[in-house]
């Protein structure tokens, strides 16, 4: 097993860049952003990320240690880059109490539900409330209705998602990890909404 | 520290990698030297370690993968064992970076298992599958001093290194620890009454093994057991002989005084002694720990006083 060898290298490379040390990665041109994924188990959290990171539904290429932590850098039109470090969380009810350990210090929370499951939609609302109470105050939140390709099984109306997110000042989008619909749009929109450190 | 290295003329030509290596070496050196003063320094911390480990011991007796809803396709004893071994190594290292890399290695094994499964099933595995496996492996491994090791990494691993992926997997182990501490009947896919029963049973069994462990120690630690029994043998023997020395006329005898016919008598005495000794040991082993200790103390005191008597009489 390649015990950590690939991983310190990558980090030291990152350290090598000027102004990007000390955790935050908050230099004006290259942001490093912690993004936490919340949502019921089975709504397709990890599928969305895999789609975004690997551009494919099938996770056969080994990039990092595993699929529950992935990172991807995107370049924006204003020639800045955003490196998303995506933290997946276990969606089962019994692990709900552990979520604060994961969303602590996150600048983005993506809350996912399944448009064919009203339960997952109410679970998503629970996460929104929890983050409003305990998350960092300037956290960027996105509500995502996944499995949009399954129209015929839809049980949560687009309007419901839209209304709820509008009320809570969040960004809303419906995606399909299966067809890749709106996946890149989701992350690009998040990148645009991130608070920027002042350019010196 | 990093700043002073960077500003020092000796390091003026060093690359980023050189400086990073120097910092890693420095962390390892300093933390290894300071280990005894920085690792698990308070009684409360030791207590937390002990409590976690005891709880895990109870859970080990009945917890099955299905109680954490681990999918049957992920049941892979050899992978689990490998992951457990990696996790157990954590406590053997002194440097924070080495402890952290034990965690990473453990998570890597679990992820390989998930990846292999994902390749065969074409269903991507995320944290929904990862965390339950890590919790299960942690319970199976019962890594020594879990709480202290995590605290030590958090406090002493360079902050610029406890980020991104390392931070994520570290957080997962913290979260596994938290889950285990808070674990109750509602945390598992298991009937609540059944859970309480299993815990009670495990506690009882645990108590029994603890007691037998300290009283007879026979099954588990043969070597210690030997030592104890020899010690006890000597004490009991002294006690017996000195109380009723007339039964053992050969106490003062020298080997050159012995004759062939003595062998029979000696053998008879030997057998007698052994059977008495065995019975006594058995009786003492059945006593509760406290009583046994006080008895041994008494024997010891008695032995000392008779020894001094011996000395005075022989003088």
């Amino acid at each position: 097993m390649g015990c950590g060898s690939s991983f310190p290298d990558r980090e030291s490379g990152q350290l090598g860049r000027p102004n990007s040390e000390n955790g935050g990665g908050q230099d004006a041109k290259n942001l490093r952003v912690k993004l936490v994924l919340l949502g019921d188990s089975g709504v397709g959290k990890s599928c969305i990320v895999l789609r975004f990171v690997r551009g494919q539904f099938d996770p056969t290429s080994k990039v990092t240690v595993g699929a529950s932590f992935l990172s991807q850098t995107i370049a924006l039109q204003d020639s800045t880059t955003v490196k998303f470090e995506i933290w997946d969380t276990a969606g089962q009810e019994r692990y709900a109490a552990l979520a604060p350990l994961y969303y602590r210090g996150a600048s983005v929370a993506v809350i996912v539900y399944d448009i064919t499951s009203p339960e997952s939609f109410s679970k998503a609302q629970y996460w929104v409330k929890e983050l409003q109470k305990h998350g960092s105050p300037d956290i960027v939140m996105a509500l995502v209705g996944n499995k949009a390709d399954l129209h015929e099984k839809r049980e949560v109306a687009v309007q419901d998602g839209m209304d709820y997110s509008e009320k809570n000042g969040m960004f809303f989008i419906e995606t399909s990890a299966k067809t890749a619909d709106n996946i890149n749009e989701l992350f690009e929109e998040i990148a645009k909404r991130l608070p920027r450190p002042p350019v010196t | 520290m990093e700043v002073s290295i960077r500003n020092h003329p000796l390091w003026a030509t060093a690359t980023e990698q050189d400086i990073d290596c120097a910092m890693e070496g420095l962390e390892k050196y300093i933390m290894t030297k300071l280990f005894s003063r920085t690792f698990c320094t308070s009684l409360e911390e030791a207590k937390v370690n002990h409590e976690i480990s005891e709880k895990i011991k109870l859970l080990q007796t009945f917890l099955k993968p299905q109680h954490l809803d681990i999918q049957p396709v992920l049941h892979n004893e050899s992978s689990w064992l490998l992951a457990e071994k990696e996790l157990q190594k954590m406590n053997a290292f002194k440097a924070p970076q080495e402890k952290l890399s034990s965690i990473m290695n453990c998570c890597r094994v679990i992820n390989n298992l998930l990846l292999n499964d994902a390749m065969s099933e074409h269903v991507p595995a995320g944290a929904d599958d990862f965390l339950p496996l890590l919790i299960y492996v942690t319970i199976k491994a019962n890594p020594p001093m879990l709480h202290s090791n995590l605290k030590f990494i958090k406090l002493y691993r360079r902050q610029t290194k406890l980020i991104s992926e390392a931070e994520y997997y570290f957080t997962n182990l913290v979260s596994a620890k938290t889950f285990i501490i808070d674990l109750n009947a509602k945390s598992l896919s298991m009937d609540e009454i059944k859970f309480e029963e299993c815990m009670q049973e495990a506690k009882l069994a645990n108590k029994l093994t603890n007691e037998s462990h300290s009283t007879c120690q026979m099954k588990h630690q043969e070597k210690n057991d030997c030592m104890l029994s020899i010690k006890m043998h000597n004490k009991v023997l002294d006690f017996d002989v000195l109380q009723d020395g007339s039964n053992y006329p050969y106490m003062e005898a020298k080997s050159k005084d012995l004759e062939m016919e003595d062998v029979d008598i000696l053998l008879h005495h030997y057998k007698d002694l052994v059977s008495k000794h065995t019975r006594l040991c058995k009786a003492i082993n059945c006593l509760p720990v406290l009583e046994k200790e006080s008895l041994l103390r008494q024997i010891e005191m008695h032995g000392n006083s008779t020894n001094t008597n011996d000395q005075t009489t022989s003088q």
Side-chain angles (χ1 to χ4, degrees):
Chain A
M1 217 165 313
C3 310
S5 59
S6 70
F7 148 77
D9 284 355
R10 214 154 40 76
E11 297 231 318
S12 57
Q14 192 189 38
L15 273 177
R17 261 182 269 137
N19 300 330
S20 69
E21 58 196 84
N22 290 332
Q26 298 299 326
D27 83 270
K29 285 268 176 191
N30 306 296
L31 284 181
R32 207 186 78 212
V33 169
K34 174 175 167 183
L35 181 153
V36 66
L37 278 174
L38 294 162
D40 225 341
S41 69
V43 297
K45 296 188 292 289
S46 36
C47 299
I48 293 178
V49 185
L50 282 165
R51 252 307 186 195
F52 170 56
V53 172
R54 294 173 196 174
Q56 56 178 11
F57 196 60
D58 186 79
T60 40
S61 60
K62 288 189 191 186
V63 181
T64 42
V65 171
S68 44
F69 176 91
L70 291 165
S71 66
Q72 174 77 306
T73 308
I74 60 171
L76 296 179
Q77 283 170 343
D78 59 357
S79 77
T80 59
T81 66
V82 176
K83 184 187 181 199
F84 286 110
E85 293 183 348
I86 303 164
W87 291 41
D88 194 5
T89 60
Q92 297 93 324
E93 185 60 39
R94 68 170 65 115
Y95 306 120
L98 303 169
L101 292 169
Y102 295 84
Y103 64 65
R104 185 184 299 152
S107 9
V108 183
V110 173
I111 299 152
V112 187
Y113 68 91
D114 172 354
I115 65 153
T116 70
S117 152
E119 296 82 40
S120 74
F121 186 54
S122 33
K123 190 71 208 236
Q125 298 176 16
Y126 161 84
W127 286 122
V128 173
K129 285 191 201 99
E130 160 125 2
L131 283 166
Q132 284 166 345
K133 260 190 265 167
H134 305 294
S136 60
D138 52 355
I139 194 166
V140 175
M141 285 200 272
L143 183 67
V144 176
N146 193 34
K147 307 200 184 174
D149 52 296
L150 302 173
H151 323 279
E152 70 282 3
K153 288 189 190 157
R154 175 189 289 276
E155 295 212 20
V156 182
V158 187
Q159 199 58 44
D160 291 352
M162 234 185 254
D163 289 349
Y164 185 79
S165 45
E166 221 163 88
K167 245 190 284 166
N168 290 279
M170 312 164 68
F171 161 60
F172 172 72
I173 197 167
E174 283 199 348
T175 58
S176 164
K178 199 167 178 186
T179 65
D181 256 6
N182 277 345
I183 299 289
N184 287 337
E185 288 78 355
L186 163 66
F187 288 92
E188 277 160 19
E189 186 58 37
I190 291 169
K192 281 185 208 153
R193 286 168 180 250
L194 285 169
R196 295 299 168 123
V199 183
T200 45
Chain B
M1 185 57 82
E2 198 169 337
V3 176
S4 16
I5 288 182
R6 280 179 201 280
N7 292 338
H8 198 278
L10 269 180
W11 291 86
T13 56
T15 61
E16 285 299 326
Q17 211 170 0
D18 292 340
I19 293 173
D20 187 55
C21 281
M23 290 302 295
E24 289 294 86
L26 201 59
E27 178 194 286
K28 188 169 169 177
Y29 178 76
I30 292 173
M31 290 324 297
T32 307
K33 288 281 176 196
L34 292 179
F35 186 76
S36 60
R37 289 168 181 272
T38 47
F39 186 83
C40 189
T41 45
S42 73
L43 267 177
E44 295 92 81
E45 209 180 314
K47 212 178 133 204
V48 177
N49 285 323
H50 181 72
E51 278 167 6
I52 295 173
S53 162
E54 286 297 308
K55 182 153 186 192
I56 290 180
K57 266 190 218 162
L58 300 182
L59 293 169
Q60 279 175 340
T61 61
F62 65 90
L63 193 91
K64 298 275 176 308
Q66 55 266 30
H67 296 143
L68 290 164
D69 294 326
I70 295 169
Q71 296 173 44
V73 281
L74 298 173
H75 291 201
N76 186 326
E77 290 284 347
S78 54
S79 279
W80 292 344
L81 196 67
L82 206 61
E84 287 158 34
K85 289 254 165 68
E86 292 297 336
L87 201 54
Q88 282 162 343
K89 278 185 202 162
M90 174 170 65
N91 192 49
F93 292 116
K94 286 187 173 171
Q97 52 194 266
E98 293 168 325
K99 287 183 184 293
L100 184 61
S101 76
S102 301
I103 299 178
M104 295 301 286
N105 289 341
C106 167
C107 293
R108 206 165 265 125
V109 175
I110 297 174
N111 274 309
N112 282 341
L113 174 63
L114 290 173
L115 208 68
N116 287 339
D117 171 58
M119 276 196 251
S120 57
E121 298 281 314
H122 295 281
V123 179
D128 288 351
D129 291 309
F130 176 79
L131 185 63
L133 271 177
L134 181 65
I135 291 172
Y136 187 69
V137 163
T138 308
I139 290 173
K140 296 250 291 171
N142 199 355
M145 319 281 274
L146 179 60
H147 173 69
S148 288
N149 277 299
L150 290 171
K151 192 175 161 194
F152 187 77
I153 294 170
K154 181 87 192 159
L155 284 175
Y156 301 113
R157 181 64 180 137
R158 286 163 67 198
Q159 298 221 318
T160 47
K161 294 291 181 175
L162 196 57
I163 54 162
S164 301
E165 199 165 34
E167 189 190 5
Y168 178 75
Y169 288 107
F170 175 77
T171 305
N172 270 287
L173 190 59
V174 172
S175 119
K177 182 199 83 174
T178 314
F179 181 79
I180 292 168
I181 292 175
D182 298 336
L183 195 151
N184 59 31
K186 292 192 176 71
S187 322
L188 300 174
S189 298
M190 188 177 186
D191 184 55
E192 289 185 27
I193 299 163
K194 181 100 201 312
F195 173 82
E196 295 299 345
E197 275 174 15
C198 286
M199 285 299 270
Q200 283 305 323
E201 226 168 84
K203 270 180 203 160
L204 203 67
N206 199 16
K207 212 173 146 199
L208 280 179
T209 39
N210 272 348
E211 269 176 16
S212 67
H213 195 72
S214 53
T215 48
C216 69
Q217 300 195 334
M218 267 194 197
K219 283 151 208 159
H220 305 294
Q221 294 172 323
E222 251 176 290
K223 202 175 157 194
N224 282 356
D225 173 43
C226 246
M227 294 299 290
L228 186 77
S229 115
I230 288 170
K231 232 166 119 185
M232 200 134 70
H233 176 96
N234 291 341
K235 278 174 190 158
V236 172
L237 198 63
D238 281 349
F239 192 48
D240 232 354
V241 168
L242 292 160
Q243 246 194 352
D244 196 4
S246 55
N247 277 348
Y248 303 101
Y250 292 94
M251 272 307 281
E252 308 291 333
K254 304 222 160 62
S255 59
K256 62 176 181 231
D257 305 332
L258 295 180
E259 288 176 28
M260 269 314 277
E261 63 219 60
D262 293 323
V263 172
D264 275 337
I265 311 168
L266 272 171
L267 191 65
H268 173 78
H269 282 165
Y270 168 75
K271 284 179 182 166
D272 185 38
L273 262 174
V274 168
S275 65
K276 269 186 189 160
H277 166 246
T278 324
R279 261 176 285 155
L280 250 170
C281 280
K282 268 187 195 155
I284 289 175
N285 285 343
C286 292
L287 290 174
V289 187
L290 277 176
E291 273 186 66
K292 190 198 128 209
E293 270 170 10
S294 74
L295 184 72
L296 282 177
R297 220 173 294 126
Q298 264 181 13
I299 295 175
E300 196 153 24
M301 272 164 61
H302 189 90
N304 284 345
S305 64
T306 44
N307 278 346
T308 30
N309 284 351
D310 274 358
Q311 276 160 17
T312 42
T313 45
S314 64
Q315 277 163 8

